[in-house]
Amino acid sequence: MGLIAVSRNRRMTDYLESIRRAGGEPVEVGGDEAPAAIVARVGGVLLAGGGDVDPSHYGEAPHARFEAAEPGRDAFEIALVQAALAANVPLLAICRGMQVVNVAGGGTLVQDIPSEVPGALTHAIAEPRFAIAHEVWVAKGSRLWTIMAEQLDGESLQVNSRHHQAVKRIADGFEVTATAPDGVIEAMERPASRFCLAVQWHPENFWRTGEFRPLFEHFVQAVRGG
Ligand code: MN
């Protein structure tokens, strides 16, 4: 039961490596298996980056810059999140994963930051993948704050950024736990869950240097029941 299900995506390597370096055992999962069956056989779920969640899932028409994810991935991952939350299985969600969690919980998204957020910072620096794009301000006392205590500079963390969407109306039961200086939501968590944390940046790209290893270590610890 100590396995961590990683939802299949185009860039698996860094997610798998980050989990392994934190002492966890990842397993790839996809839409060929029922979400409830997956949740029953693993100890944790990681949702990775990718294309946009189809806005029909939160009752909106697509923005001109909408870029669809792989066919079937939205429905599969939304169901996977709902199954994980229902079973109180630890959940770590990254980038698109955070947006999926929010939509699965009934929230909405900013569909295109450059056209919808006045004065927005640059949230899309593609290469190198660990390039620092902006800082985030972490909410004091949050789980993220506790986990990243030793890496925090005051209340700030330096993060990479490769997203043009973000959480808008946050899902019920979740709290915002990090924001960028332009107000874009960069992390959220669900206090009622054993471990349910989502970040908008890509901590998995730092496995070589370890800046976000504590995030994966605490996730793996929660998966083990700690
Ligand atoms: Mn960002």
Side-chain angles (χ1 to χ4, degrees):
M1 301 298 281
L3 292 175
I4 294 173
V6 181
S7 180
R8 198 165 292 137
N9 64 88
R10 295 191 183 97
R11 291 181 173 271
M12 287 298 279
T13 316
D14 285 3
Y15 297 102
L16 301 179
E17 196 61 31
S18 292
I19 290 169
R20 291 193 184 110
R21 298 229 164 198
E25 194 182 341
V27 56
E28 290 186 38
V29 298
D32 45 350
E33 187 180 359
I38 293 170
V39 165
R41 74 180 177 92
V42 300
V45 172
L46 185 143
L47 288 188
D52 299 339
V53 177
D54 191 309
S56 64
H57 289 290
Y58 49 96
E60 290 185 15
H63 186 277
R65 296 204 180 107
F66 171 69
E67 287 180 55
E70 297 88 329
R73 193 170 160 193
D74 284 354
F76 167 68
E77 291 185 341
I78 287 170
L80 185 59
V81 167
Q82 290 168 343
L85 291 180
N88 205 7
V89 164
L91 179 64
L92 177 62
I94 291 172
C95 198
R96 164 191 160 83
M98 170 161 162
Q99 297 162 11
V100 170
V101 169
N102 197 52
V103 171
T108 65
L109 303 179
V110 173
Q111 287 203 44
D112 186 59
I113 292 169
S115 43
E116 291 177 46
V117 180
L121 298 165
T122 299
H123 287 271
I125 298 180
E127 299 290 344
R129 302 182 76 73
F130 45 78
I132 297 303
H134 59 75
E135 64 179 338
V136 298
W137 300 332
V138 180
K140 204 168 185 172
S142 65
R143 183 157 213 163
L144 182 63
W145 172 278
T146 305
I147 290 172
M148 296 302 296
E150 286 185 12
Q151 281 74 19
L152 282 166
D153 175 14
E155 58 183 359
S156 299
L157 285 175
Q158 301 293 323
V159 303
N160 55 349
S161 193
R162 289 196 303 280
H163 59 114
H164 82 115
Q165 301 203 326
V167 166
K168 188 155 116 188
R169 194 190 69 231
I170 193 167
D172 284 349
F174 284 81
E175 292 176 1
V176 174
T177 55
T179 49
D182 57 8
V184 167
I185 295 173
E186 290 275 343
M188 64 179 196
E189 55 198 55
R190 185 171 185 267
S193 288
R194 212 142 62 76
F195 185 104
C196 178
L197 204 155
V199 298
Q200 188 55 69
W201 65 93
H202 283 275
E204 80 283 2
N205 294 143
F206 294 85
W207 62 262
R208 291 175 186 81
T209 44
E211 285 88 338
F212 294 98
R213 191 166 299 157
L215 193 48
F216 292 96
E217 284 173 346
H218 278 77
F219 176 47
V220 167
Q221 213 171 71
V223 169
R224 288 191 182 135

